[in-house]
Amino acid sequence: MTDTPPTATGTGAPKRLFIKTYGCQMNVYDSERMADVLRPLGYAPTEAVEDADFVILNTCHIREKAAEKVYSELGKLRQLKEAKDGGLTIAVAGCVAQAEGEEIMRRQPAVDLVVGPQAYHQLPELLTRTARARGERIGADFAPVDKFDALPAARTVEGVTAFLTVQEGCDKFCTFCVVPYTRGAEWSRPVAAVLAEARDLAARGVREITLLGQNVNAYNGEGPDGAPSSLARLAAALAEIPGLDRIRYTTSHPNDFSDDLIAAHRDLPQLMPYLHLPVQSGSDRILRLMNRKHGRQTYFDLIDRIREARPDLALSSDFIVGFPGETDRDFEDTLDLVRRVGYASAFSFLYSPRPGTPAATMAAPVPDEVARTRLHALQALLTEQQVAFNAAQAGQVLPVLFEKRGRHGRQAIGRSPFLQSVHVDDADHLIGEIVEVEIVSGQQNSLTGRLPATAADGPPPPLEQRATASRAVGATPA
Ligand code: SAH
Ligand code: SF4
Ligand code: F3S
C-alpha cells in the first residue's frame, strides 16, 4: 500500500499494472503497447487486480452493453481504491474514453485519468501530471502518427502469434457504427514502420502475425518509394521476413477488396486461407439503410473471385439483426445469404442504437422480442455451418502451428490455417512449430488431431509451408 502516486522515475520497488481489455483485437494490441510504454517506469503486469498499483480499463463503445460494463467495473475499482487508502491509480482508455470522457469523470470521481486510443503514448507524462493534479483527460486529436512514433520499438510478446496494427480509423460511416467517431479518419502506418515491427516480432520467435485495421484492406501506407502501398504489397514484403510463416489480416470491408489482394491469396502461401469479411445483412434494402455502399450481389461476386484465387478459402462475417426497419422478408434475405456463402464461423449481434449515429433516430425500430427471435434463428444456422465445417476436416491433414500446452498430459493446442483450435496429445515438444496433423474429428469449437508417426517423437520435422494435401472444402459451396 502506498500513499505516493506513481512517479516517472522508474526507481524503487516494481509497481504493478493491471489492464482489463474489452472490445476488438485492436484494443488487445493497444493494451500490450500500453504495458510496453509503462515498463520503463517500473510497471510490471499482474494478473491480480487486488495487487495492482495502476489499473487501466481499455474500453469498447460499439454496443450499449459494452460501454455500460465500464461503469459497473469502475464502481468495483472505487471500492478497491478505498480499501487501499487511495493507493491505486485508475485510468480509462479506449473508445469509451474517447466518446464520453467527460461523463466518465463526472460519473466516477475515483477515475484519475482518461486517455483516448490515439493518446496512450502520453501515459508516462500523464501519470506524473496526475501526481500533482487529479482528473486529467486526454482525448485524441486523431493523429495516430504521433502515437506510433512515440511507442517503444521493442515489444514484449508471449508466444508465437502476435497482432500488429497497420491501419486505424474509418471513413465509411455505416449508420449504426461509432468507430469513425471514436477512432477518427482512416490512417495507415508507413511500410517501413510495419516491417521493422514485424522483423522485431519474428526475431522474438513470432511465427504468425495478424495485421489489424478497422478497414485493414484500405491500407495505403507510404511505401519505400514514397508512393502509397497496398495491403497486398505490404503482405508480399512481410512474406520475405524469415521465420514469419503465416500472415492474417482483419477486418476487411468488401468495398476495399482490390484485385491485387485477391491475387495475393493465390500467390502468397503465407496468407492464410481464412477471411473475416463482414456483410452485416443479406438485404439490399437494409444494406442501403446501413450505408454499406454495396449490395448482396457484389458480395457474392467478390467471394466467387477470391475463391477462384484460393479455392480452400474459409469465411467468417459479422451480422447485425434487428436494424431499424428490418422486416421478416429482409431477415429471410440474410438467412439466404448465409446459406449461399457457407461460413466457417461468424459473429451476430442484436442491433444496439448508439448515441450520435444516424441509425439511432431512424424510423421503425424492431421490437426487442422479434429481434431476439431472429437472432436465435440466425445463430442456429451459423452454428450448424460451423459444426459442419469443422466436421468436414476429419480425415484431412492440416499444417498446425502449435501455440501452447493443453490441459491434459503432454497435449498441445495449435491453430489450423482456418483459425480452428486443434488439440493434439503428446505434442508439447512441438510448441512453436508448424507440423502436419491428421485431423481425427471436428467439434463445434475445435478439432482433435494426431501426429503422424514421424512427428510423434524426436526433433520437430522441417517446416511445412502449405500442405497441398490439406485443401479442405467449405461446408456449403457458394
Ligand atoms: N470495421 C468492421 C467492423 C467493426 S465493429 C466492418 O466494417 O465490418 C465490429 C462489428 O460490430 C461490426 O461488424 C458490426 O457487426 C457490429 N456492430 C457495430 N455497431 C453495432 C451496433 N450499433 N449494434 C450492433 N452491432 C454493431
Ligand atoms: Fe464501423 Fe462501418 Fe467503419 Fe466498419 S466500416 S468500422 S462497421 S463504420
Ligand atoms: Fe470497440 Fe473501439 Fe474496437 S468501439 S470494437 S474497441 S474500435
Side-chain angles (χ1 to χ4, degrees), residues 17 31-40 151-152 154-157:
L17 168 68
S31 290
E32 286 178 16
R33 300 304 266 149
M34 284 191 255
D36 289 341
V37 166
L38 292 166
R39 203 163 280 112
L151 292 176
R155 287 178 58 180
T156 301
V157 284

Side-chain angles (χ1 to χ4, degrees), residues 88 119 126 178 290 335 366 471-472:
L88 173 68
L126 279 172
V178 293
M290 287 177 162
L335 294 178
V366 175
R471 290 305 172 98

Side-chain angles (χ1 to χ4, degrees), residues 238-379:
L238 288 164
E240 300 285 319
I241 297 176
L244 218 52
D245 298 294
R246 290 180 163 194
I247 301 170
R248 304 180 187 275
Y249 57 91
T250 196
T251 296
S252 297
H253 193 288
N255 288 356
D256 290 321
F257 226 99
S258 58
D259 290 344
D260 69 340
L261 189 54
I262 295 177
H265 276 280
R266 184 191 59 221
D267 301 335
L268 280 184
Q270 288 89 344
L271 260 194
M272 289 294 102
Y274 177 84
L275 187 62
H276 185 56
L277 193 62
V279 66
Q280 314 297 353
S281 168
S283 154
D284 280 333
R285 212 176 60 81
I286 296 299
L287 287 170
R288 243 190 330 272
L289 288 172
M290 287 177 162
N291 190 34
R292 291 292 288 186
K293 300 196 182 92
H294 69 79
R296 53 191 267 132
Q297 193 55 47
T298 316
Y299 186 73
F300 292 140
D301 293 346
L302 175 62
I303 287 173
D304 283 347
R305 285 165 57 223
I306 313 172
R307 278 184 169 155
E308 216 172 283
R310 187 73 210 235
D312 60 344
L313 186 87
L315 284 156
S316 76
S317 177
D318 295 337
F319 294 92
I320 295 178
V321 167
F323 188 82
E326 185 186 72
T327 62
D328 283 341
R329 176 75 207 276
D330 295 316
F331 178 63
E332 279 305 320
D333 284 349
T334 298
L335 294 178
D336 177 69
L337 177 141
V338 171
R339 285 190 203 100
R340 284 173 66 167
V341 172
Y343 290 98
S345 82
F347 300 94
S348 41
F349 309 102
L350 274 187
Y351 168 69
S352 168
R354 306 305 290 129
T357 59
T361 50
M362 278 184 188
V366 175
D368 201 48
E369 241 179 73
V370 176
R372 277 176 201 282
T373 309
R374 287 180 191 159
L375 184 69
H376 289 147
L378 175 60
Q379 288 181 339

